[in-house]
Amino acid sequence: MSELRIGLRVPQYGTTWPALRDAALRAEGLGFDGLWLNDHLQSPGRLKAEPAFDALTTLAALAALTRRARLGVAVLSASYRNPGLAAKMATVLDVISGGRLVLGLGTGSDKPEHAAYGFPFGSPGERTAGLRETLTVLRAMWDERETVSVEGALVDAPNAPPPVQPAGPPIWLAAHRPRLLRVAGEEADGVFAAFVGPEGVAERRRVAEEAREAAGRPPLAYAIYTYALPVPSTAEAERWVAPEAEALGTTPARFLRWLRTTGIVAGPAELRERLDAFAAAGATDAILVLPSRVPPEALDALAEAALSGGVRREASGQPAAGGAGRPAPDAGGSSGPAPLRSAPEGNLVHLLVEVNRAAGRGGDAAAIDDDGSWTFDELNEAAARAAGALAGRGVGRGDRVAIALPDGRPWLAAFLGSAWLGAVAVPLDPAMPQERLEDVFEDCEPAILVAEGDVAEAAGDRPPLSTAGLLSGEPVEPASVDASDLAYLVYSSGSTGRPKAAMHAHGDLAVGIATYARHVLALAPGDRCHSVAKLSTSLGFGNGFFRVLGSGATSVLSARRPTPRSVLRMVEEHGVTVLTAVPTFWAQLATFLDRHPDAGDLGSIRLCVSSGDSLPPAVGRRLRDGLGLEVLEGLGCSECSNIIISTRPGEPLPGMLGRAVPGVEIRLAGEDGEPVEEGQPGRLWVQSDSNTSGYWRRPELTEELLVGPWIRMGDVLSQTDGVYRHLGRSDDLFKVDARWVSPSEVEGALHDHPAVAEAVVVGRPDDEGLLRPAAFVVLAEGAEDGDELAGELRRHVAHRLEPYKAPTTVAVLDELPRLPGGKLDRRRLRERGAGTEGVNGG
């Protein structure tokens, strides 16, 4: 047994020097082991203009005022300083403090701050190389007591006075990928792990320890960095955070809800248990962060909770059972028949299943897939058994359950079984690339993966749960949860960059059912709904699952790869009444039926839904006029877990999104937050009771997203007489000769040309570096790609719109690149050349 050292990140944002100084002295007097500051020059959240105290100068001042506590940087950005300068400054700080400095070191990840202060923000590889160089220079400066030379960095550089600590200040690397973790084991003194659970600490420790033991080096420190707020009572906690909530334009209750998903918000006993779980996973240090602007008594309460009660770690270094400090639920439960069980109100299983059973629809079809069907009673039993199987594998309340299953009834059981336990479901695309899947696992640290086939290999050392095991569990009693408790994470479909997941509560689903499903789709028992977009996407999750079951309708699912022919077969076989897809599929279906008019019977369909991208007006007309389909267009987002703007049945508005859905408030604003005039482009702001509480463990992105009760999206729209038009994402729009170009508008004009089956437009620099429209098209059947086509398409767009919107380059492709959910991958096209060669080999 050994003690977990507890440090404090002193308040450095939105404060004053006297307040910061007093808090640091108070923390040292209370017994905190260390005083830590972030290496930021501005607040890393949304409040960029608030006061921010940088790490090195502030720690130098504190070094002269304090006597006992260690002084640490969490963490020094290698990209902000020349390595030699960083080593010199750290050495002097160690001298001033009498040898109390601990230096965290990271690559630097705050892109807006780099831009604001003129620091180059290189690629991940370049930033990693910069960290390696800084680490080498630090070691050289501290190992040599005379002049130091490092090739490419130092030439006979003295480092006097030398550091007080004989081997120099300890260096702890902010590392989460195996490459840097191995570097930490071979060359550093510790590892930083920010906003992770005990499982994440244990996994980082496993990789670093293998490298450390191979190098024959002494033991490393393992430090967790997390928000922590003791809660003597809800009223007291809300009072403490009220000033910070007001600064962020939100309520104390909402702020606390977000904070619970990012750190430890608990009573003293549970807070100690949560820290114990980190210690058991191998952590040696905890750096706790209070929200900004809390009163001094919050610091006193944190010291009483964290520094008393014997926070210790087990020598085995194994994580505590049941997840992050929570006991595993009883895997046995009651042995009564599952259909007689009912999920309590507040739990989303009650909303989606029990409400239908209570209304006498227990024997109605709830779900149909490629292999059979379940009634609502059978779905209830499957959820109870899935919950039992998960509980038997140690899954408890709040643990993440990664679900990488194809669309089908087992997927429903896994999701509802997670909610049944009070766990957090994480739907994932089973076809997701391995590297992307590993990134998601690293981000959300699931307690278990439910999967089949090759994707199950992503579980690593932890055996995945198969569908057979999932459905053979012993039923357990359903968990009583609050409607505001976290229920599921929805990851964005972007193909690059660190993944981000919108967090949603059990009660958020009720909003989409009561608004869009009821007032726009008019879903009801008897409807049979199929979504071509998969359940792992926000569109498929809504129109293929929760809005369907929550309305008493039947979810029609298929694990097969969707094609126009397979979807037509499913519509005819199961009598689908509501069919949902992204615009690219609707374009494919219209083209397919032009060629094969007798390929399928669409007579059962009463409504079609298009969302995810802008539906070109030409495609909409072909569906409506040529096929007689009622097509509703809409805009939704994973951050709202709902479709928020939509056209209405009997009200076709080609090229438009329609009006705001009842119960949802919309505003369009400029980058300054001020409303734009009617008809002008503005960024979309949404106020809805289903709004996310933030992004999972991404406080910096959360603070950019949340503005009081509003969320600020990246979509750019215009509005006339309450009708909205989608112009694109904020990073898709571009200016040509100081005039805005909407890619969707140009794409709509291209679709009106008979030679074009599909089109996408992006902004690309020309030979002089000026942005110009570049078009990528798939030709219609029978159209020829000749020398005259590009000029003909340019003239067509110039005539339909304006000359400056006409594409200057046109590339013909076999197919357009798409993201896993079916949306167009515009980023890929922006990053590739716009010559005559096809991006996909066309």
Side-chain angles (χ1 to χ4, degrees):
M1 301 286 286
S2 62
E3 291 186 358
L4 184 69
R5 294 172 298 205
I6 307 293
L8 177 78
R9 203 292 311 274
V10 298
Q12 65 183 110
Y13 309 116
T15 189
T16 64
W17 166 242
L20 188 158
R21 176 197 61 207
D22 293 348
L25 294 175
R26 190 185 194 99
E28 185 180 47
L30 288 168
F32 282 93
D33 169 79
L35 308 175
W36 295 78
L37 276 92
N38 300 150
D39 190 22
H40 281 298
L41 308 182
Q42 65 183 24
S43 172
R46 178 161 43 86
L47 305 174
K48 304 296 187 188
E50 70 176 355
F53 288 79
D54 80 290
L56 294 182
T57 54
T58 305
L59 285 176
L62 293 178
L65 297 174
T66 57
R67 293 291 179 267
R68 177 194 57 78
R70 292 187 299 172
L71 304 176
V73 185
V75 294
L76 195 77
S77 173
S79 55
Y80 284 0
R81 297 166 193 84
N82 169 280
L85 176 63
K88 178 66 177 178
M89 296 177 74
T91 299
V92 171
L93 184 49
D94 193 55
V95 172
I96 295 173
S97 67
R100 291 184 284 140
L101 178 64
V102 179
L103 191 69
L105 180 63
T107 59
S109 60
D110 192 326
K111 189 173 182 179
E113 186 166 288
H114 280 74
Y117 288 89
F119 300 124
F121 190 78
S123 66
E126 290 170 336
R127 297 202 307 278
T128 298
L131 181 145
R132 295 293 303 270
E133 182 185 18
T134 299
L135 179 58
T136 298
V137 170
L138 288 170
R139 284 292 188 221
M141 291 277 275
W142 292 338
D143 289 345
E144 298 293 334
R145 297 308 187 186
E146 302 297 334
T147 58
V148 184
S149 294
V150 175
E151 184 177 356
L154 302 175
V155 179
D156 294 333
N159 191 30
V164 172
Q165 300 181 70
I171 303 172
W172 297 355
L173 292 193
H176 60 282
R177 294 188 183 275
R179 181 182 176 188
L180 275 183
L181 286 167
R182 287 192 290 269
V183 171
E186 294 165 355
E187 303 178 39
D189 304 297
V191 173
F192 257 105
F195 304 114
V196 302
E199 299 88 349
V201 173
E203 179 60 21
R204 285 162 170 77
R205 185 172 180 270
R206 181 188 65 78
V207 177
E209 284 298 299
E210 286 179 0
R212 180 195 68 79
E213 291 173 1
R217 302 187 64 245
L220 302 184
Y222 293 90
I224 61 135
Y225 179 97
T226 185
Y227 282 106
L229 185 72
V231 181
S233 69
T234 299
E236 189 75 350
E238 290 185 356
R239 182 180 69 82
W240 286 348
V241 303
E244 177 71 353
E246 182 180 4
L248 293 170
T250 189
T251 65
R254 279 183 173 269
F255 180 79
L256 284 173
R257 176 181 168 186
W258 167 79
L259 197 65
R260 285 189 178 93
T261 64
T262 308
I264 305 172
V265 180
E270 183 182 349
L271 190 147
R272 285 193 292 270
E273 290 175 3
R274 299 280 290 275
L275 291 176
D276 279 335
F278 282 108
T284 60
D285 293 79
I287 300 164
L288 306 182
V289 185
L290 284 166
S292 297
R293 289 174 261 267
V294 296
E297 54 262 37
L299 177 56
D300 295 344
L302 181 62
E304 183 177 355
L307 301 180
S308 63
V311 176
R312 308 177 75 84
R313 62 186 178 95
E314 297 293 338
S316 67
Q318 297 300 313
R326 292 174 300 276
D330 178 8
S334 171
S335 58
L340 298 181
R341 301 169 187 274
S342 61
E345 290 189 32
N347 193 308
L348 63 83
V349 181
H350 181 274
L351 176 72
L352 303 185
V353 181
E354 181 58 29
V355 165
N356 291 296
R357 297 173 69 220
R361 294 192 291 270
D364 290 358
I368 300 171
D369 66 10
D370 300 325
D371 301 314
S373 64
W374 281 341
T375 65
F376 280 102
D377 281 341
E378 291 168 333
L379 180 58
N380 179 78
E381 179 179 3
R385 291 193 175 280
L390 291 169
R393 295 287 292 272
V395 177
R397 183 188 293 266
D399 286 335
R400 274 75 62 205
V401 177
I403 304 170
L405 293 174
D407 287 12
R409 290 173 295 154
W411 189 101
L412 303 184
F415 188 95
L416 295 172
S418 300
W420 189 283
L421 283 182
V424 180
V426 186
L428 301 175
D429 180 4
M432 182 182 292
Q434 180 75 12
E435 182 178 357
R436 177 76 173 172
L437 195 61
E438 290 173 355
D439 287 342
V440 169
F441 271 36
E442 186 176 277
D443 187 63
C444 72
E445 298 180 298
I448 197 167
L449 168 66
V450 185
E452 296 280 2
D454 294 341
V455 70
E457 296 176 3
D461 296 334
R462 293 170 294 181
L465 181 61
S466 67
T467 53
L470 179 77
L471 299 176
S472 61
E474 186 70 21
V476 297
E477 291 294 335
S480 178
V481 299
D482 189 86
S484 65
D485 286 348
L486 185 62
Y488 60 100
L489 304 179
V490 181
Y491 275 92
S492 59
S493 59
S495 60
T496 61
R498 179 183 168 190
K500 64 179 181 181
M503 302 183 290
H504 283 286
H506 285 259
D508 290 357
L509 298 183
V511 177
I513 297 166
T515 58
Y516 179 69
R518 178 178 302 167
H519 294 287
V520 178
L521 301 181
L523 292 183
D527 271 318
R528 294 194 166 195
C529 307
H530 175 66
S531 172
V532 178
K534 295 301 183 180
L535 295 175
S536 56
T537 69
S538 183
L539 179 59
F541 180 75
N543 276 16
F545 167 50
F546 84 81
R547 284 190 282 267
V548 181
L549 298 184
S551 302
T554 304
S555 176
V556 180
L557 305 167
S558 177
R560 302 187 185 102
R561 179 180 179 272
T563 65
R565 192 178 296 276
S566 70
V567 171
L568 287 170
R569 188 183 307 117
M570 178 168 292
V571 168
E572 191 168 358
E573 180 180 351
H574 298 297
V576 170
T577 60
V578 179
L579 182 62
T580 298
V582 296
T584 51
F585 178 82
W586 290 119
Q588 292 168 4
L589 181 65
T591 299
F592 178 82
L593 288 174
D594 284 344
R595 301 173 186 171
H596 311 282
D598 298 324
D601 182 4
L602 299 174
S604 64
I605 294 178
R606 68 173 180 85
L607 278 181
C608 298
V609 176
S610 178
S611 186
D613 276 313
S614 296
L615 182 70
V619 175
R621 284 193 295 271
R622 290 165 67 193
L623 295 168
R624 294 182 183 97
D625 301 339
L627 300 175
L629 296 176
E630 176 86 70
V631 182
L632 304 187
E633 299 179 50
L635 176 70
C637 60
S638 59
E639 289 81 1
C640 302
S641 209
N642 198 12
I643 288 182
I644 53 177
I645 301 174
S646 178
T647 57
R648 304 299 198 270
E651 185 187 21
L653 297 168
M656 309 297 283
L657 291 176
R659 306 177 187 279
V661 169
V664 177
E665 189 173 350
I666 301 294
R667 61 178 290 203
L668 303 182
E671 290 303 317
D672 58 0
E674 293 299 317
V676 299
E677 296 182 3
E678 186 170 291
Q680 295 301 306
R683 192 167 167 181
L684 173 65
W685 290 42
V686 183
Q687 181 171 314
S688 168
D689 287 340
S690 64
N691 279 0
T692 177
S693 56
Y695 294 119
W696 173 260
R697 291 177 177 168
R698 302 295 295 276
E700 72 289 351
L701 292 182
T702 295
E703 291 191 0
E704 291 289 341
L705 175 74
L706 302 183
V707 186
W710 299 86
I711 59 173
R712 178 172 49 184
M713 302 303 301
D715 298 274
V716 177
L717 283 65
S718 64
Q719 177 268 138
T720 303
D721 294 331
V723 177
Y724 292 87
R725 178 191 296 273
H726 193 258
L727 303 179
R729 299 280 296 175
S730 58
D731 52 358
D732 292 336
L733 270 69
F734 55 95
K735 281 188 175 182
V736 171
D737 300 330
R739 292 172 289 184
W740 283 110
V741 173
S742 164
S744 62
E745 183 183 30
V746 183
E747 291 159 6
L750 287 169
H751 274 92
D752 281 335
H753 193 282
V756 176
E758 296 181 84
V760 63
V761 173
V762 300
R764 291 188 55 81
D766 62 14
D767 293 339
E768 297 179 352
L770 301 174
L771 277 181
R772 301 298 182 204
F776 299 82
V777 301
V778 175
L779 298 182
E781 185 176 15
E784 295 185 1
D785 178 15
D787 294 337
E788 300 298 322
L789 179 62
E792 185 179 335
L793 292 178
R794 283 194 290 270
R795 290 189 294 274
H796 174 78
V797 173
H799 177 72
R800 289 295 183 96
L801 303 176
E802 295 176 83
Y804 76 92
K805 297 180 181 179
T808 57
T809 58
V810 177
V812 176
L813 311 181
D814 287 341
E815 60 179 352
L816 299 177
R818 294 183 176 85
L819 296 168
K823 295 182 181 179
L824 291 167
D825 191 351
R826 297 176 186 274
R827 177 185 298 173
R828 182 177 172 190
L829 294 175
R830 283 197 297 266
E831 293 173 351
R832 298 289 293 268
T836 56
E837 76 282 357
V839 169
N840 289 317

